[in-house]
Amino acid sequence: MRSSTDPSSTDPSSTDPSSTDPSSTDPSTDLTSADLSSTESTSAPRTRVVVLGAAGRDFHDFNVVFRDDPTHEVVAFTATQIPDIDGRHYPPELAGPFYPHGIPIVAESELTDIVAGERVDAVVFAYSDVRHEQVMHLASQAIAAGADFRLHGARHTMLRSTRPVVAVTAVRTGVGKSQTTRYLSRLLRDLGLRVVAVRHPMPYGDLAAQAVQRFATHADLDLHDCTIEEREEYEPHLDNGVVVYAGIDYERILREAEQEADVILWDGGNNDLPFFVPDLHLVLADPLRAGDEATHHPGEANVRMADVVVIAKCDSALQSDIEAVEASVRALNPTATVLRADSPVTVDDPSAVHGRRVIAVEDGPTLTHGSMSYGAGVVGARSAGAVAIVDPTPYAVGSIAATYVRYPNARGVLPAMGYGAAQIGDLEATIRAAVDAGECEAVVAGTPIDLTRVLSLPVPVVRARYELREVVPGGLAAAVRAALPAEVLERHTAAEGTTAPESSSATAARAPSVPAGSAP
């Protein structure tokens, strides 16, 4: 809750004075002296900083910590995890008046050369879902090159909202945040509250044009030329009747979202910390990856900060692993409420899968930096009676083939890598190659979106959907009621005479299903 971190307040009336005309972005991508010395000399030397990132947390930390700070100069961002981010610039329209040339984005592999060659004083780590030892390897690299190594905490990076905030985060990528935010949005709307979801950043296109994005219909996804990765996060909210905001400048995003919301629902990315001060911080833990709650950054920090920890996928995990995760969580955060939940999977049209050879398409990040080897697609295909799950590896082309090389754990299923048009084309070409070879008769899509909106395939595409189901109903409803200000609840539930939230949310979640993590 808010009192646990007590970050500094942010003025709700503040605005970004800069232009958002993407045409003014410097097209050069070389790391030039002009890029690295973008401000006039001052009486005191500025602390020179490199921010390690992955096109998300790094941009946010810059905006709230460094953008208006005359004592520090960010000379470069580095990029990893996400393809095709390096080689670009964080544009001057977003970087502010201290950075008239913008800020170059370079590959993380160039870190040592940048630190040594550009007299960097401090390296700031700002991305997520990384093992603790990998963070410290990067720290050692920075220190050996001559720089300090820093991590920003919640106090300096969370923005304070004028509305109550319910934040959903996790210990790892692919634990079940999306199903949980959908469940919570229904629960909050059952209370008569206007809910707006704000999603962790996914800026894979024109950065200046993506500063503030609002999605209310599927047409908005097309308007903003959203990638598969973006659609996976936004589309389920739209299907649920909830407006979604995302982008890069989260101060501006928050202030716009507040204008149409009674409650802000923070939909976290990977296992990152919330960007907003939460009134209720709910963290998902995964018994299929027992122990990861204490081994990955910043997932462990989320557990330690949590008000509620939900152990998901209990319908498919070993009882011993569930108990081990609960014991670990209670050791890290003795005051948190610990709940258990199932993650049941349903298949839209089992008859289109039964007796057929199928390719299972799974959420990309869950397989890559989430380290899973299967997901809802495999579970749904097995439950619907697929005769075989076809390994698409021999048919992979382009970026899909490269993904298997980098993430061999993904072999056997097809990661829905779709960070741009080229990857979407490779995804479709891989499936078509398997179809042409006579190996694939249907596709089971375990991603949160309708793949037929972005792919044209010659075989049926059947969705495998997954939801949250509380083992003991009512725990999340009680947590929400306890966290929300009394005047918010009184103004809406008493005036409108709504019923207890679990009556509809829990019932909707209890459709006939199969477990979401059953072994393939």
Side-chain angles (χ1 to χ4, degrees):
M1 300 206 180
R2 292 177 188 263
S3 59
S4 66
T5 55
D6 191 29
S8 301
S9 297
T10 303
D11 180 7
S13 66
S14 65
T15 58
D16 185 343
S18 59
S19 165
T20 58
D21 177 13
S23 65
S24 62
T25 302
D26 184 352
S28 171
T29 58
D30 292 333
L31 195 62
T32 66
S33 59
D35 293 321
L36 297 171
S37 302
S38 58
T39 60
E40 296 296 328
S41 297
T42 59
S43 56
R46 299 175 74 187
T47 300
R48 295 168 66 79
V49 176
V50 168
V51 180
L52 305 180
R57 160 65 63 178
D58 49 341
F59 296 160
H60 175 70
D61 281 9
F62 169 80
N63 290 341
V64 299
V65 177
F66 294 122
R67 181 166 57 191
D68 300 320
D69 181 2
T71 68
H72 287 72
E73 179 181 10
V74 174
V75 301
F77 293 100
T78 68
T80 188
Q81 292 184 339
I82 309 300
D84 303 323
I85 297 298
D86 57 291
R88 301 198 292 169
H89 275 67
Y90 192 67
E93 297 91 341
L94 296 174
F98 287 126
Y99 301 91
H101 302 286
I103 303 169
I105 305 171
V106 302
E108 187 178 87
S109 59
E110 299 181 34
L111 175 61
T112 295
D113 290 340
I114 295 171
V115 172
E118 302 301 335
R119 308 179 315 281
V120 170
D121 301 298
V123 172
V124 175
F125 185 91
Y127 61 97
S128 55
D129 213 351
V130 182
R131 294 187 67 87
H132 287 326
E133 57 262 40
Q134 178 61 22
V135 177
M136 291 312 300
H137 285 314
L138 289 166
S140 298
Q141 187 177 350
I143 291 167
D148 295 338
F149 188 81
R150 301 178 185 173
L151 291 147
H152 287 136
R155 182 182 299 274
H156 297 293
T157 58
M158 283 186 184
L159 301 168
R160 185 176 294 278
S161 178
T162 62
R163 299 287 186 266
V165 174
V166 176
V168 179
T169 66
V171 301
R172 293 294 313 276
T173 303
V175 180
K177 295 185 302 297
S178 60
Q179 64 185 22
T180 306
T181 54
R182 293 196 301 271
Y183 184 91
L184 287 169
S185 69
R186 290 193 297 267
L187 190 154
L188 289 162
R189 286 182 298 141
D190 281 346
L191 290 171
L193 299 170
R194 296 176 302 160
V195 181
V196 172
V198 179
R199 180 61 171 76
H200 188 275
M202 306 182 75
Y204 306 139
D206 184 325
L207 300 182
Q210 292 182 303
V212 178
Q213 295 177 298
R214 179 183 184 274
F215 304 93
T217 68
H218 288 95
D220 293 329
L221 302 176
D222 298 327
L223 177 66
H224 290 282
D225 196 25
C226 287
T227 65
I228 286 180
E229 304 302 331
E230 292 167 291
R231 289 173 181 269
E232 284 180 338
E233 305 304 335
Y234 307 154
E235 192 174 294
H237 284 300
L238 300 182
D239 291 341
N240 214 21
V242 175
V243 170
V244 186
Y245 279 83
I248 297 176
D249 192 328
Y250 276 80
E251 171 73 31
R252 293 171 56 196
I253 290 167
L254 178 59
R255 303 313 162 202
E256 290 197 21
E258 288 169 342
Q259 301 308 306
E260 55 181 312
D262 297 313
V263 176
I264 301 293
L265 182 58
W266 172 256
D267 185 359
N270 291 356
N271 65 347
D272 203 0
L273 306 174
F275 286 12
F276 306 150
V277 182
D279 293 81
L280 176 64
H281 186 182
L282 190 149
V283 178
L284 277 295
D286 191 350
L288 298 183
R289 288 173 282 183
D292 283 9
E293 66 281 348
T295 61
H296 284 70
H297 176 79
E300 180 184 340
N302 278 326
V303 173
R304 292 179 179 274
M305 296 165 58
D307 300 306
V308 176
V309 175
V310 176
I311 303 174
K313 307 178 185 176
C314 288
D315 50 343
S316 55
L318 296 173
Q319 184 65 25
S320 58
D321 288 334
I322 297 170
E323 292 172 356
V325 170
E326 180 162 349
S328 176
V329 166
R330 293 191 184 280
L332 293 169
N333 185 346
T335 64
T337 298
V338 180
L339 305 175
R340 297 183 182 185
D342 298 333
S343 301
V345 173
T346 56
V347 178
D348 282 0
D349 184 6
S351 64
V353 178
H354 184 79
R356 292 184 172 179
R357 299 173 62 82
V358 306
I359 285 178
V361 178
E362 305 285 16
D363 173 64
T366 297
L367 301 177
T368 56
H369 38 284
S371 305
M372 291 288 285
S373 59
Y374 68 96
V378 167
V379 176
R382 294 294 189 198
S383 71
V387 69
I389 295 177
V390 177
D391 181 1
T393 308
Y395 311 101
V397 301
S399 61
I400 302 299
T403 298
Y404 288 132
V405 172
R406 185 174 181 185
Y407 302 100
N409 61 289
R411 294 173 182 267
V413 296
L414 183 56
M417 305 298 290
Y419 291 102
Q423 282 196 327
I424 293 173
D426 291 343
L427 183 66
E428 180 172 318
T430 298
I431 297 173
R432 284 184 172 275
V435 173
D436 292 345
E439 288 297 309
C440 175
E441 300 171 289
V443 171
V444 178
T447 72
I449 69 164
D450 181 358
L451 281 179
T452 61
R453 288 196 172 105
V454 293
L455 302 180
S456 177
L457 297 172
V459 294
V461 178
V462 182
R463 296 183 67 177
R465 304 174 190 263
Y466 47 95
E467 297 293 340
L468 181 84
R469 182 175 66 204
E470 293 184 76
V471 171
V472 179
L476 289 176
V480 167
R481 287 182 176 275
L484 293 182
E487 61 270 20
V488 172
L489 293 171
E490 291 170 0
R491 182 166 66 249
H492 293 278
T493 58
E496 299 181 14
T498 57
T499 58
E502 60 267 29
S503 62
S504 61
S505 298
T507 300
R510 289 189 175 275
S513 58
V514 295
S518 301

